Amino acid sequence: MTSIDIPQIGHLIGGETVLGDLREIRDPGHLDDTVAQVAVGSASDVDRAVRAAHAAFDGWRRTSPAERAKLILAAADVVAGAGADLAPLLVREHGGVLWEAQTDFGLGTGVLQHTASLVEDFSRPVQYDDEQSFISVERVPRGVVAAIVPWNMPVVLTMMKLAPALATGNTLVLKPSPFAPAALTILLTRMADLLPPGVLNVVHGEGDVGAALTSHPLVRKVGFTGGIATARKVIESTAGTIKNVTLELGGNDPAIVLDDVDIDAALDRMLKGVYTRTGQICFAVKRIYVPRGLYQRFADAFCDRVNQYVVGHGLDPEVSFGPLNNEAQYKKVTDLIDRTRNSAATLLTLGSKRDADTWDNGYYVLPHVVRDVAHEAPISCEEQFGPIVPLIAYDNEQQALDWANDGEYGLGASVWTTDPQRGLALARQIEAGSTFINTHSFESLDLRMPFGGVKQSGIGREFGTAGLSEYVEEHAIRHLK
Ligand code: NAD
């Protein structure tokens, strides 16, 4: 590859691209390849971006919800059109396969369109007028929003913050993940061209830049998606200026298989939720509880299917899933695999390598299944965020439910049954932000459903009117007659 193919990705501040010092990012599926050069941010870049967003706020908040909805819809067209040229770049920086990157753009488009369709009704004041009073409860923007996103699905995770923030009249400073900043920033620069300068800003960097953003006194709201340990730092750094936060964090999603399940039909759907994006999805299926009487049959069928997977570079159409995203993630997952190998459980390494010669030049890991494993084992209790899943036998439904609810995570969950009423009754007892029946993957998402976690999986909700509510204050006005 020649240097001409390597884009230089700057910050976006007040409508201008700002380059400064650059660092290289590498393809996690081909570590010899430089994918892009990306600006290295600092606290002073953050300050300039926040001030640009603050300066743009007064004008932007005065536009009508209808005008903002129109611009959000135009931005949705940009996202829909960008998948064609930017999805391959996204594959090369985050390691997913092409359809996963295209799904990211597709979901991002949907979030913008759905949000635009809601914002006019949502923004209408609720008013009461009687002999004594005139009351108007108005939903007003908070001000400058800081959005911080991870690398796994950067487009849709950004749009889940950008759409409700901008639609309700806030302005935005986004910090992408240093592990997938390029395609997202090119996309946001195209979107920013539709908007007044300063409404949408981007600053690159790592934790120090994130912390400068979350502690900045002019930032009134933080929308964060990432790990629980980082979220604790975000809460600490927002404490000094009492900011509102929305946190979308990790999960350890249980799937409870009931004894009336149709195994083949369930596996058709369930497997999409286990190994897609190499298991690096917050609401991936991360532990599977199977009735003891069905265990052997279910586990054999599960492993037969997983054994057909082919692992390799995401731009190769023959590949089922790509490498892990980065070295730290690779070490974490391979360490968990090693610990599981040395435990009492049965670890199966399945699937095949697409290209054994280049295997060591990327963060590749074959799919693994863990059989005969206890609910208390580390592989059942920790968020693996990789292509490995435990199959845990249970003795009765109450035990499966207790195990599903055990622990500090509560993002997604699923129940697998041929009896919808039985599924609903069990779903209602699960501690999670979303519980799906006979589905648990990207195809489970419906924008009418709020998305978020309970317990330490998060605070607040994204999507729909619940997502819009996170970005407004309710201003109550009363005239006593
Ligand atoms: P991470 O927490 O390491 O990083 C997330 C973002 O926070 C990055 O942009 C990072 O640079 C930034 N950051 C790091 N330190 C910071 C600090 N001190 N202050 C402010 N920002 C800081 O997470 P990751 O490894 O990028 O992503 C994986 C995690 O994200 C997993 O736990 C996964 O479950 C979670 N996730 C959750 C959702 C959800 O919607 N619930 C979606 C995707 C991923």
Side-chain angles (χ1 to χ4, degrees), residues 369-383:
V369 179
V370 188
R371 292 176 71 151
D372 311 317
V373 58
H375 161 70
E376 296 77 16
I379 184 62
S380 314
C381 304
E382 293 175 22
E383 183 190 32

PDB file of all heavy atoms in Angstrom, residues 369-383:
ATOM      1  N   VAL A 369     -15.877 -23.172  22.282  1.00  0.00           N
ATOM      2  CA  VAL A 369     -17.071 -23.496  23.063  1.00  0.00           C
ATOM      3  C   VAL A 369     -16.590 -24.167  24.340  1.00  0.00           C
ATOM      4  O   VAL A 369     -15.679 -24.996  24.300  1.00  0.00           O
ATOM      5  CB  VAL A 369     -18.022 -24.442  22.291  1.00  0.00           C
ATOM      6  CG1 VAL A 369     -19.242 -24.782  23.146  1.00  0.00           C
ATOM      7  CG2 VAL A 369     -18.461 -23.820  20.967  1.00  0.00           C
ATOM      8  N   VAL A 370     -17.196 -23.791  25.458  1.00  0.00           N
ATOM      9  CA  VAL A 370     -16.809 -24.392  26.739  1.00  0.00           C
ATOM     10  C   VAL A 370     -17.967 -25.267  27.213  1.00  0.00           C
ATOM     11  O   VAL A 370     -19.086 -24.773  27.423  1.00  0.00           O
ATOM     12  CB  VAL A 370     -16.487 -23.307  27.789  1.00  0.00           C
ATOM     13  CG1 VAL A 370     -15.892 -23.965  29.028  1.00  0.00           C
ATOM     14  CG2 VAL A 370     -15.535 -22.269  27.220  1.00  0.00           C
ATOM     15  N   ARG A 371     -17.705 -26.579  27.319  1.00  0.00           N
ATOM     16  CA  ARG A 371     -18.746 -27.525  27.748  1.00  0.00           C
ATOM     17  C   ARG A 371     -18.476 -27.981  29.176  1.00  0.00           C
ATOM     18  O   ARG A 371     -17.372 -27.849  29.676  1.00  0.00           O
ATOM     19  CB  ARG A 371     -18.765 -28.731  26.810  1.00  0.00           C
ATOM     20  CG  ARG A 371     -19.238 -28.360  25.413  1.00  0.00           C
ATOM     21  CD  ARG A 371     -19.166 -29.521  24.446  1.00  0.00           C
ATOM     22  NE  ARG A 371     -20.159 -30.563  24.713  1.00  0.00           N
ATOM     23  CZ  ARG A 371     -20.674 -31.346  23.771  1.00  0.00           C
ATOM     24  NH1 ARG A 371     -20.332 -31.174  22.498  1.00  0.00           N
ATOM     25  NH2 ARG A 371     -21.525 -32.295  24.092  1.00  0.00           N
ATOM     26  N   ASP A 372     -19.493 -28.534  29.793  1.00  0.00           N
ATOM     27  CA  ASP A 372     -19.376 -29.100  31.151  1.00  0.00           C
ATOM     28  C   ASP A 372     -18.745 -28.079  32.094  1.00  0.00           C
ATOM     29  O   ASP A 372     -17.786 -28.380  32.821  1.00  0.00           O
ATOM     30  CB  ASP A 372     -18.522 -30.385  31.116  1.00  0.00           C
ATOM     31  CG  ASP A 372     -18.995 -31.331  30.019  1.00  0.00           C
ATOM     32  OD1 ASP A 372     -20.213 -31.481  29.882  1.00  0.00           O
ATOM     33  OD2 ASP A 372     -18.160 -31.871  29.285  1.00  0.00           O
ATOM     34  N   VAL A 373     -19.271 -26.886  32.057  1.00  0.00           N
ATOM     35  CA  VAL A 373     -18.688 -25.787  32.823  1.00  0.00           C
ATOM     36  C   VAL A 373     -19.675 -25.327  33.899  1.00  0.00           C
ATOM     37  O   VAL A 373     -20.887 -25.363  33.687  1.00  0.00           O
ATOM     38  CB  VAL A 373     -18.278 -24.628  31.871  1.00  0.00           C
ATOM     39  CG1 VAL A 373     -19.465 -24.121  31.072  1.00  0.00           C
ATOM     40  CG2 VAL A 373     -17.610 -23.492  32.612  1.00  0.00           C
ATOM     41  N   ALA A 374     -19.135 -24.897  35.028  1.00  0.00           N
ATOM     42  CA  ALA A 374     -19.988 -24.462  36.133  1.00  0.00           C
ATOM     43  C   ALA A 374     -20.416 -23.010  35.949  1.00  0.00           C
ATOM     44  O   ALA A 374     -19.695 -22.209  35.339  1.00  0.00           O
ATOM     45  CB  ALA A 374     -19.220 -24.605  37.447  1.00  0.00           C
ATOM     46  N   HIS A 375     -21.559 -22.679  36.528  1.00  0.00           N
ATOM     47  CA  HIS A 375     -22.037 -21.290  36.505  1.00  0.00           C
ATOM     48  C   HIS A 375     -21.040 -20.345  37.189  1.00  0.00           C
ATOM     49  O   HIS A 375     -20.902 -19.185  36.799  1.00  0.00           O
ATOM     50  CB  HIS A 375     -23.398 -21.210  37.193  1.00  0.00           C
ATOM     51  CG  HIS A 375     -23.754 -19.829  37.623  1.00  0.00           C
ATOM     52  ND1 HIS A 375     -24.061 -18.842  36.714  1.00  0.00           N
ATOM     53  CD2 HIS A 375     -23.807 -19.255  38.850  1.00  0.00           C
ATOM     54  CE1 HIS A 375     -24.303 -17.713  37.377  1.00  0.00           C
ATOM     55  NE2 HIS A 375     -24.158 -17.941  38.667  1.00  0.00           N
ATOM     56  N   GLU A 376     -20.308 -20.851  38.185  1.00  0.00           N
ATOM     57  CA  GLU A 376     -19.390 -19.992  38.951  1.00  0.00           C
ATOM     58  C   GLU A 376     -18.042 -19.794  38.247  1.00  0.00           C
ATOM     59  O   GLU A 376     -17.221 -18.988  38.706  1.00  0.00           O
ATOM     60  CB  GLU A 376     -19.111 -20.601  40.341  1.00  0.00           C
ATOM     61  CG  GLU A 376     -20.316 -20.706  41.255  1.00  0.00           C
ATOM     62  CD  GLU A 376     -21.252 -21.865  40.899  1.00  0.00           C
ATOM     63  OE1 GLU A 376     -20.813 -22.776  40.136  1.00  0.00           O
ATOM     64  OE2 GLU A 376     -22.405 -21.846  41.339  1.00  0.00           O
ATOM     65  N   ALA A 377     -17.768 -20.490  37.150  1.00  0.00           N
ATOM     66  CA  ALA A 377     -16.450 -20.408  36.492  1.00  0.00           C
ATOM     67  C   ALA A 377     -16.221 -18.994  35.948  1.00  0.00           C
ATOM     68  O   ALA A 377     -17.174 -18.312  35.551  1.00  0.00           O
ATOM     69  CB  ALA A 377     -16.374 -21.417  35.352  1.00  0.00           C
ATOM     70  N   PRO A 378     -14.953 -18.524  35.891  1.00  0.00           N
ATOM     71  CA  PRO A 378     -14.687 -17.182  35.351  1.00  0.00           C
ATOM     72  C   PRO A 378     -15.290 -16.968  33.961  1.00  0.00           C
ATOM     73  O   PRO A 378     -15.836 -15.900  33.685  1.00  0.00           O
ATOM     74  CB  PRO A 378     -13.155 -17.128  35.308  1.00  0.00           C
ATOM     75  CG  PRO A 378     -12.712 -18.087  36.363  1.00  0.00           C
ATOM     76  CD  PRO A 378     -13.740 -19.176  36.408  1.00  0.00           C
ATOM     77  N   ILE A 379     -15.267 -17.985  33.108  1.00  0.00           N
ATOM     78  CA  ILE A 379     -15.789 -17.807  31.744  1.00  0.00           C
ATOM     79  C   ILE A 379     -17.298 -17.554  31.755  1.00  0.00           C
ATOM     80  O   ILE A 379     -17.854 -16.970  30.820  1.00  0.00           O
ATOM     81  CB  ILE A 379     -15.428 -19.022  30.841  1.00  0.00           C
ATOM     82  CG1 ILE A 379     -15.865 -18.813  29.384  1.00  0.00           C
ATOM     83  CG2 ILE A 379     -16.016 -20.323  31.366  1.00  0.00           C
ATOM     84  CD1 ILE A 379     -15.216 -17.672  28.700  1.00  0.00           C
ATOM     85  N   SER A 380     -17.984 -17.966  32.840  1.00  0.00           N
ATOM     86  CA  SER A 380     -19.428 -17.707  32.932  1.00  0.00           C
ATOM     87  C   SER A 380     -19.712 -16.354  33.590  1.00  0.00           C
ATOM     88  O   SER A 380     -20.769 -15.772  33.362  1.00  0.00           O
ATOM     89  CB  SER A 380     -20.119 -18.793  33.763  1.00  0.00           C
ATOM     90  OG  SER A 380     -19.702 -20.069  33.384  1.00  0.00           O
ATOM     91  N   CYS A 381     -18.782 -15.875  34.407  1.00  0.00           N
ATOM     92  CA  CYS A 381     -19.056 -14.664  35.204  1.00  0.00           C
ATOM     93  C   CYS A 381     -18.458 -13.388  34.616  1.00  0.00           C
ATOM     94  O   CYS A 381     -18.900 -12.293  34.943  1.00  0.00           O
ATOM     95  CB  CYS A 381     -18.495 -14.814  36.615  1.00  0.00           C
ATOM     96  SG  CYS A 381     -19.109 -16.250  37.457  1.00  0.00           S
ATOM     97  N   GLU A 382     -17.415 -13.514  33.769  1.00  0.00           N
ATOM     98  CA  GLU A 382     -16.752 -12.310  33.239  1.00  0.00           C
ATOM     99  C   GLU A 382     -17.270 -12.006  31.840  1.00  0.00           C
ATOM    100  O   GLU A 382     -17.630 -12.915  31.097  1.00  0.00           O
ATOM    101  CB  GLU A 382     -15.232 -12.555  33.163  1.00  0.00           C
ATOM    102  CG  GLU A 382     -14.583 -12.695  34.521  1.00  0.00           C
ATOM    103  CD  GLU A 382     -13.090 -13.048  34.429  1.00  0.00           C
ATOM    104  OE1 GLU A 382     -12.466 -12.790  33.380  1.00  0.00           O
ATOM    105  OE2 GLU A 382     -12.581 -13.585  35.413  1.00  0.00           O
ATOM    106  N   GLU A 383     -17.261 -10.720  31.466  1.00  0.00           N
ATOM    107  CA  GLU A 383     -17.606 -10.367  30.089  1.00  0.00           C
ATOM    108  C   GLU A 383     -16.413 -10.727  29.210  1.00  0.00           C
ATOM    109  O   GLU A 383     -15.355 -10.102  29.295  1.00  0.00           O
ATOM    110  CB  GLU A 383     -17.899  -8.865  29.968  1.00  0.00           C
ATOM    111  CG  GLU A 383     -18.318  -8.500  28.554  1.00  0.00           C
ATOM    112  CD  GLU A 383     -18.396  -7.002  28.267  1.00  0.00           C
ATOM    113  OE1 GLU A 383     -17.627  -6.219  28.853  1.00  0.00           O
ATOM    114  OE2 GLU A 383     -19.235  -6.630  27.432  1.00  0.00           O
TER     115      GLU A 383
END
